[in-house]
Amino acid sequence: MTDKGLEGDGPAIDVRGLSKSFGPLTALDSVDLTIPRGAVFGLLGPNGAGKTTTVRILNGVLDPTSVTKIDVLGHDLRREAEAVRPQVGVQTDTNLYERLSARENLSAFGRLYGMDTPSSRSRADELLEMFGLTDRGAERVERFSKGMKQKLLIARALVAHPRLVYLDEPTAGLDPEASHELMTYITRVSREAHTTFFITSHRLDEMEGVCTAVAVLDDGRIRASGPPEQVAREAVPRVRVRVTPRVGSDMTAGDLTTLPGVKEILSLDGAFAVDLVREDAVPSFLRAVVALPFDLLGVAEEPPTLQEAYLALVGNHPARADGQVV
Amino acid sequence: MRWSRAWTVAVKDMRETFSTMQLVAPLVVVPIVVVVGYPTVFLLALRLTPGSVEGLQGFLGGFPDSAVPAFALATSAARAAYVAVVYLFAGFFLLVPVMVSTVVAANSFAGEKERRTLEGLLYTPVSDAELVVGKISAAFVPTIVFTWGCFAVYSAIVALLGVPVVGRVFFPTANWWALMLLLVPAVSLLVISIVVLVSAKARGFQEANAIGGSVILPVIGLVAAQASGLMVLSTGLVAGTALVFALADVALLYLIVSVFKRSRIVSFLP
Ligand SMILES: Nc1ncnc2c1ncn2[C@@H]1O[C@H](COP(=O)(O)OP(=O)(O)OP(=O)(O)O)[C@@H](O)[C@H]1O
Ligand SMILES: [Mg+2]
């Protein structure tokens, strides 16, 4: 399996100038995406940003209005979608077959991917085991809870050992343990089998931990893309240092304001977040802090989080005038 | 076109369709009343009170004696039994597959759209043509199996209750074989094709079922009403009619397969 994932060395997804309109509404506007093989890519964006539309188009299930290049796993999707589909698994906000059992839902999809009946059954059992649903496998899906259905949808996307997996808001409805396990699984499979993951989400905390690359999509446009730390730094141009004095030390914010390069100070629980004017103000600030007559537990750079970046990138629109339906 | 892949789609659909009595019960009950109930009552009445034939004379007299073999002309009860079994009830056997295939096909296309399961299927490597053929088979196979099952039950009832009245084994006749083996499949396929076309635009199962039914029933009703006449005239005519339907089937199926593109469906999904 591992070597299979490595064959072909171009990017898993390479898209240029992807646009999609629904009547007067522009859902995607000149989107460019390059996702290397084995990456865990996160497409982040608010409701109605165009995430699901992107997933649908990248699977040839929806036609783009215009696109200059749309290569998936080395194939031009416009001409060779049949070569791509067997290697791809997709979970979107669709439903399972409620009147079939969990096991049947999985094995039926295995067969649709060309597996024979015995191997589709054993793969179904393997996935039920992995998602902790073994004891409910024979039960009809209509009796499942929302989270159990969500797990089954994700499992269904993994049935045929895909080399590229799309997960459209995979953790919606999952409890924290299940979300965490899924993220661990994604990280492991992307490393071990070199599987590429394309994940859409609003759960920025989760995405930050698992993604090797992200793009922020808003109103059909890519606002930023790259490794999460880089996106965060570019979107949030601030330099923050966290100063943690020893418990019982009587250091106050006032002691820090006068130091060189300080712009703003936030008092946190027993610590101070100090925003500096520029990155090159950091060394002299640090020397000055250490020289102060207080015992310190630590001084550390505090990089911006993906969450902050995201809010900075998508938050700056006044009320949407086009009355988008989400 | 990989037939096994299409068949997988069909099997999945059939399992789903027949896993609930909600859909199956009404489909089964009405035909059973028609196909088992009516002939049983009719043939029993003929056996127990042969005089009742007189009351039916106006009804059965319309069928020419030339359409009844000599052995069945011996008594008026025998003649009545023969005419009813061979001609009168033939129309029902066109209505049964029409009913079944309309409901099953609407469920498999429009119903799957409505239940939001179709999109998942579109991501799999199943080709557009395999998907259509699979779904058409998922309606066609149960329709034919069920209609033939009804035919078998009907034949048994005739053997049990009709043969004693007529005096010898007379059923199934050649025109019935033509009806079952040629006309029923051809008509079913036409009905399914129409429902598939309607389902593409319909919002849900109910709508597809209603629109499909209102398009199909008048046409098929007409054919069913003429079925007795068709059967009287000749076996060749039954086969000929089946051929006309088969040509319409080929044209419609060709249209469906060439029009059906997965990227068009998603735009209509909820
Ligand atoms: N079939 C369609 N017909 C018309 N408009 C559509 C269609 N599908 C999507 N849209 C519009 O395109 C825009 C993007 O929708 P999309 O579903 O891609 O958003 P999303 O980023 O997935 O949102 P969410 O986070 O809510 O899932 C929305 O304004 C939506 O109303
Ligand atoms: Mg979405």
Side-chain angles (χ1 to χ4, degrees), chain A residues 56 59 61-63 85-86 90 92-99 104 109 111-114 140 156, chain B residues 5 8-9 12 15-16 19-20 112 115-117 119-126 261-263 266:
Chain A
R56 285 173 165 173
N59 282 286
V61 150
L62 193 65
D63 285 333
R85 282 202 182 95
V90 185
T92 53
D93 180 25
T94 53
N95 289 337
L96 297 152
Y97 293 99
E98 298 266 326
R99 294 185 220 134
E104 283 171 329
F109 261 59
R111 285 194 299 278
L112 293 176
Y113 275 89
R140 279 196 190 186
R156 195 176 75 172
Chain B
R5 212 64 74 93
T8 304
V9 174
K12 174 208 68 66
R15 274 198 191 180
E16 249 247 321
S19 62
T20 170
E112 180 146 22
R115 292 190 293 270
R116 304 184 68 242
T117 54
E119 188 175 347
L121 214 50
L122 302 182
Y123 291 112
T124 68
V126 175
K261 268 198 71 200
R262 63 181 76 203
S263 53
V266 168

Side-chain angles (χ1 to χ4, degrees), chain A:
Chain A
M1 272 294 128
T2 316
D3 55 343
K4 197 176 152 207
L6 287 165
E7 84 195 22
D9 26 53
I13 295 175
D14 197 2
V15 178
R16 303 282 128 203
L18 169 60
S19 298
K20 175 72 185 175
S21 310
F22 294 104
L25 181 128
T26 304
L28 294 175
D29 189 0
S30 293
V31 166
D32 294 341
L33 287 174
T34 305
I35 301 169
R37 290 188 195 235
V40 178
F41 172 77
L43 186 62
L44 316 174
N47 296 131
K51 303 182 296 296
T52 301
T53 302
T54 307
V55 170
R56 285 173 165 173
I57 292 174
L58 289 178
N59 282 286
V61 150
L62 193 65
D63 285 333
T65 304
S66 66
V67 70
T68 45
K69 181 178 195 186
I70 183 161
D71 285 2
V72 178
L73 297 174
H75 297 276
D76 183 343
L77 197 68
R78 287 166 294 192
R79 289 183 289 107
E80 300 172 334
E82 303 72 42
V84 178
R85 282 202 182 95
Q87 311 180 57
V88 174
V90 185
Q91 169 260 318
T92 53
D93 180 25
T94 53
N95 289 337
L96 297 152
Y97 293 99
E98 298 266 326
R99 294 185 220 134
L100 299 184
S101 71
R103 184 173 287 114
E104 283 171 329
N105 264 281
L106 296 178
S107 60
F109 261 59
R111 285 194 299 278
L112 293 176
Y113 275 89
M115 299 165 93
D116 59 25
T117 307
S119 46
S120 71
R121 290 213 178 119
S122 65
R123 180 61 178 154
D125 288 335
E126 213 172 287
L127 287 163
L128 288 171
E129 176 74 41
M130 194 174 107
F131 284 88
L133 292 171
T134 302
D135 52 335
R136 308 290 294 267
E139 217 172 295
R140 279 196 190 186
V141 166
E142 63 193 357
R143 293 204 291 246
F144 278 25
S145 74
K146 189 173 185 309
M148 288 161 69
K149 287 181 185 170
Q150 182 71 4
K151 287 182 190 174
L152 209 50
L153 279 170
I154 298 168
R156 195 176 75 172
L158 303 173
V159 143
H161 299 284
R163 295 166 65 188
L164 169 60
V165 183
Y166 294 89
L167 302 173
D168 192 358
E169 294 180 37
T171 57
L174 293 190
D175 57 34
E177 309 93 277
S179 303
H180 177 75
E181 271 169 36
L182 178 63
M183 294 306 143
T184 311
Y185 169 83
I186 290 171
T187 307
R188 183 165 59 79
V189 176
S190 73
R191 293 206 183 127
E192 288 172 4
H194 215 63
T195 303
T196 310
F197 286 86
F198 185 116
I199 310 173
T200 82
S201 182
H202 325 275
R203 299 290 313 274
L204 301 163
D205 47 338
E206 283 169 5
M207 291 297 99
E208 188 156 36
V210 73
C211 290
T212 56
V214 296
V216 177
L217 184 70
D218 185 27
D219 252 349
R221 273 195 220 130
I222 300 283
R223 306 283 169 184
S225 62
E229 318 78 49
Q230 183 194 319
V231 166
R233 278 186 202 279
E234 279 169 12
V236 185
R238 65 138 212 248
V239 185
R240 177 172 290 176
V241 175
R242 174 187 280 257
V243 177
T244 314
R246 234 176 111 165
V247 185
S249 147
D250 50 1
M251 185 194 248
T252 64
D255 296 314
L256 297 168
T257 23
T258 52
L259 300 183
V262 173
K263 193 165 80 181
E264 207 182 332
I265 298 180
L266 266 109
S267 287
L268 307 167
D269 224 15
F272 303 96
V274 183
D275 283 356
L276 302 178
V277 285
R278 280 184 320 277
E279 203 172 78
D280 52 19
V282 176
S284 53
F285 171 78
L286 289 183
R287 280 189 287 272
V289 171
V290 175
L292 288 175
F294 300 105
D295 288 348
L296 299 175
L297 278 184
V299 180
E301 191 221 354
E302 196 161 273
T305 61
L306 195 54
Q307 169 110 11
E308 290 170 288
Y310 177 85
L311 292 175
L313 288 164
V314 304
N316 53 8
H317 303 281
R320 289 232 166 84
D322 54 358
Q324 282 192 21
V325 192
V326 179

Side-chain angles (χ1 to χ4, degrees), chain B residues 25-236:
Chain B
L27 278 186
V28 174
V29 171
V30 176
I32 284 178
V33 168
V34 168
V35 165
V36 178
Y38 288 2
T40 304
V41 169
F42 186 88
L43 293 173
L44 270 183
L46 276 185
R47 268 187 86 175
L48 302 179
T49 55
S52 60
V53 180
E54 303 312 320
L56 294 166
Q57 225 33 288
F59 196 41
L60 299 174
F63 290 90
D65 277 351
S66 62
V68 183
F71 65 81
L73 289 170
T75 66
S76 57
R79 184 184 188 281
Y82 188 92
V83 167
V85 165
V86 176
Y87 300 125
L88 211 53
F89 291 130
F92 291 145
F93 280 84
L94 281 176
L95 291 178
V96 167
V98 170
M99 264 184 56
V100 176
S101 58
T102 306
V103 175
V104 176
N107 183 58
S108 141
F109 278 84
E112 180 146 22
K113 230 164 78 168
E114 187 176 24
R115 292 190 293 270
R116 304 184 68 242
T117 54
L118 186 58
E119 188 175 347
L121 214 50
L122 302 182
Y123 291 112
T124 68
V126 175
S127 75
D128 295 351
E130 287 156 8
L131 203 58
V132 186
V133 170
K135 286 189 156 288
I136 286 175
S137 313
F140 183 72
V141 171
T143 298
I144 297 304
V145 167
F146 183 71
T147 309
W148 286 353
C150 286
F151 173 57
V153 172
Y154 182 71
S155 303
I157 291 171
V158 171
L160 219 64
L161 303 175
V163 169
V165 177
V166 174
R168 58 182 276 185
V169 176
F170 65 96
F171 190 81
T173 48
N175 52 5
W176 270 79
W177 288 117
L179 176 73
M180 283 299 138
L181 299 178
L182 303 174
L183 193 55
V184 163
V187 166
S188 304
L189 210 49
L190 186 80
V191 168
I192 294 166
S193 306
I194 293 171
V195 174
V196 169
L197 285 174
V198 170
S199 295
K201 292 286 157 80
R203 274 187 298 270
F205 165 70
Q206 294 297 352
E207 194 176 307
N209 201 12
I211 300 177
S214 65
V215 174
I216 291 157
L217 274 180
V219 180
I220 304 300
L222 207 67
V223 177
Q226 298 307 312
S228 307
L230 216 57
M231 300 285 276
V232 170
L233 287 174
S234 80
T235 303

